[in-house]
Amino acid sequence: MNHRNGFNPLSRTTAHRRAMSRNMVTSLFRYERITTTKSKALEVRKSAEKLITRAKVDSVHNRREVAKFIQDEKILNKLFTEIGPRMKERNGGYTRVLKLGFRQGDAADVVILELVDYKLDTEAKETKEEKKPAKKAAKAKTEASGEAKAKKAPAKKAAAKKEEPKAE
C-alpha cells in the first residue's frame, strides 16, 4: 500500500536522491528542457515548481532559500533574472511533461521535462540550412580545381618518368 507516501524514493538512498534531484533541477533551469524517465521527471517537477515560485519575488530571503538547493551561482542568477520574471503572470504549472516512448535497453518510460514557455530554436535551424548551400558551392569549387590539378599532374609525372632513365 502507498497510503500517505509523499514522494517516490526512486530506489535510491536519501543522499543519492537529493543529489540527483539537485542536479536535474539545475540542468532543467540551465537548458530549459531535459530528457529523463517519467518517474524522475515527476519528482523533479515538484521541487522545480517550488523554486520557480520563490524566484518570482527577488528578495534576499528567497535567494538564500533557493541557494540551499541550487549550488551553481550562474543558474541561480538566471532563475531570478530570467525565468522568475517570465513566469510572473502564471499561478503554477511552470513545467510540462511530454512522453517520448520507451527506452530500448530497459523499456523505461522516457519523457521530456521542459519549462512551459520553452521555444525550439527554429532560427538556428534556418541558419544551418543557409550555410549548407554555401558549403556545397565551396566544395564544388575545390573539386573543380582538384580536377584541373589532376589533369596537370599526369603531364608532370610523364615528364618525370622520361627524365629518370636519363639520370641512370
Side-chain angles (χ1 to χ4, degrees), residues 78-95:
K78 179 181 179 180
L79 179 62
F80 277 91
T81 58
E82 295 176 25
I83 298 172
R86 280 193 332 221
M87 304 291 185
K88 204 75 158 172
E89 300 301 317
R90 287 186 148 306
N91 291 328
Y94 310 114
T95 58

Side-chain angles (χ1 to χ4, degrees), residues 38-125:
K38 183 179 178 183
S39 55
K40 286 180 192 174
L42 296 179
E43 284 302 309
V44 168
R45 169 190 232 180
K46 292 176 188 176
S47 51
E49 298 224 356
K50 290 176 184 176
L51 294 175
I52 293 173
T53 301
R54 284 253 185 211
K56 287 165 67 173
V57 178
D58 191 1
S59 66
V60 175
H61 177 67
N62 284 345
R63 275 189 183 260
R64 286 180 178 167
E65 288 295 315
V66 172
K68 288 179 184 177
F69 200 83
I70 296 178
Q71 302 296 319
D72 192 348
E73 208 169 297
K74 290 179 183 177
I75 303 305
L76 181 69
N77 194 31
K78 179 181 179 180
L79 179 62
F80 277 91
T81 58
E82 295 176 25
I83 298 172
R86 280 193 332 221
M87 304 291 185
K88 204 75 158 172
E89 300 301 317
R90 287 186 148 306
N91 291 328
Y94 310 114
T95 58
R96 84 168 52 102
V97 176
L98 303 170
K99 296 180 182 178
L100 286 179
F102 298 102
R103 190 161 53 197
Q104 186 157 6
D106 59 355
D109 278 336
V110 179
V111 298
I112 293 175
L113 177 65
E114 68 180 9
L115 298 178
V116 170
D117 60 352
Y118 178 79
K119 292 184 177 62
L120 288 174
D121 293 334
T122 54
E123 295 175 6
K125 290 180 182 177

Side-chain angles (χ1 to χ4, degrees), residues 25 29 45 48 76 101 126 133 142:
V25 168
F29 293 148
R45 169 190 232 180
L76 181 69
E126 290 174 5
T142 57

